[in-house]
């Protein structure tokens, strides 16, 4: 198999366990998703549909609904910026990096990235300091600043966390330049 692309999650996997990365990326042998990952995907899909204006807040699960105070209203969102696909390529990179950003808010003074995360415990959430060095946060911020038509110099990267055991939400964020 020829390796042509990478993603933030692959970079995280590689940094934790190179053998796991090899089996998943090169050999194509992925483990089935855990029940927690399946729940996270379900909540993520609900939020995507809500932000695109394809369902009302009443159709959301209690987990997703708990986070509505931390995300914009669908009327304030450009649907093109929900699940925004990107491919980052540079001459000094042997492979390109691809990704999908949950939500980019590019109106106004501040460029903002919102990434949905489910968690069973708030203690599992990344701290702002951890986000500062997180491959996903760095790649998404870099790509968004590179493609910003308004040439802004900063981007606010937010993890909006949705509690799976107790429906509540909180935000962790970091400003990148």
């Amino acid at each position: 198999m020829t390796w042509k692309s990478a993603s933030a999650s692959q970079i995280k996997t590689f940094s934790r366990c190179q053998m796991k990365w090899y089996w998943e990326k090169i050999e194509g042998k992925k483990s089935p998703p855990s029940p927690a990952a399946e729940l996270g995907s379900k909540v993520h899909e609900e939020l995507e549909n809500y932000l695109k204006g394809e369902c009302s807040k009443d159709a959301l699960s209690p987990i997703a609904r708990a986070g509505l105070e931390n995300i914009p209203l669908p009327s304030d969102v450009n649907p093109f910026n929900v699940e925004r696909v990107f491919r980052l390529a540079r001459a000094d990179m042997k492979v390109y990096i691809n990704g999908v950003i949950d939500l980019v808010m590019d109106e106004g003074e501040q460029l903002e990235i919102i990434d949905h995360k489910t968690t069973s415990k708030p203690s599992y959430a990344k701290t702002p300091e951890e986000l500062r060095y997180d491959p996903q946060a760095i790649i998404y911020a870099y790509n968004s600043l590179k493609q910003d038509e308004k040439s802004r110099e900063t981007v606010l990267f937010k993890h909006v966390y949705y509690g799976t055991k107790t429906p509540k939400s909180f935000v962790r964020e970091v400003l990148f330049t």
Side-chain angles (χ1 to χ4, degrees):
M1 172 187 259
T2 304
W3 182 44
K4 296 181 181 178
S5 68
S7 67
S9 62
Q10 290 172 24
I11 292 168
K12 286 182 192 181
T13 300
F14 185 86
S15 68
R16 282 189 233 127
C17 180
Q18 294 176 14
M19 184 59 77
K20 180 179 180 182
W21 175 86
Y22 175 82
W23 281 108
E24 288 181 356
K25 179 64 180 164
I26 303 302
E27 295 295 328
K29 298 179 181 177
K30 281 193 155 194
S31 302
S34 68
E38 288 179 345
L39 176 60
S41 294
K42 179 183 175 288
V43 171
H44 187 277
E45 184 179 349
E46 289 180 46
L47 293 162
E48 175 186 347
N49 292 336
Y50 171 75
L51 289 167
K52 287 182 174 179
E54 297 172 359
C55 75
S56 71
K57 68 180 180 179
D58 297 328
L60 298 175
S61 67
I63 295 169
R65 203 170 332 153
L68 295 183
E69 66 191 36
N70 293 314
I71 61 174
L73 294 170
S75 58
D76 295 332
V77 172
N78 176 346
F80 171 75
N81 289 334
V82 178
E83 295 298 300
R84 188 185 227 177
V85 176
F86 71 88
R87 176 176 285 179
L88 178 61
R90 292 180 12 169
D92 61 340
M93 296 182 349
K94 295 185 186 285
V95 298
Y96 62 85
I97 298 174
N98 57 26
V100 182
I101 300 174
D102 293 347
L103 178 61
V104 177
M105 295 298 293
D106 63 0
E107 300 301 319
E109 297 292 315
Q110 183 66 61
L111 184 62
E112 187 175 309
I113 295 170
I114 296 174
D115 194 56
H116 309 296
K117 298 290 182 191
T118 53
T119 185
S120 61
K121 290 184 180 179
S123 61
Y124 294 154
K126 290 188 184 334
T127 66
E129 190 62 18
E130 289 170 322
L131 278 179
R132 184 170 309 288
Y133 298 98
D134 181 68
Q136 180 190 39
I138 293 166
I139 291 166
Y140 286 15
Y142 176 83
N143 180 74
S144 296
L145 286 170
K146 185 176 179 225
Q147 295 190 6
D148 183 31
E149 294 175 359
K150 296 179 183 176
S151 299
R152 288 170 280 205
E153 295 182 7
T154 61
V155 60
L156 184 63
F157 181 91
K158 291 182 178 182
H159 271 178
V160 176
Y161 285 94
Y162 302 83
T164 58
K165 301 285 185 206
T166 305
K168 63 181 180 178
S169 178
F170 59 95
V171 176
R172 300 283 169 82
E173 62 188 36
V174 65
L175 187 67
F176 286 101
T177 57

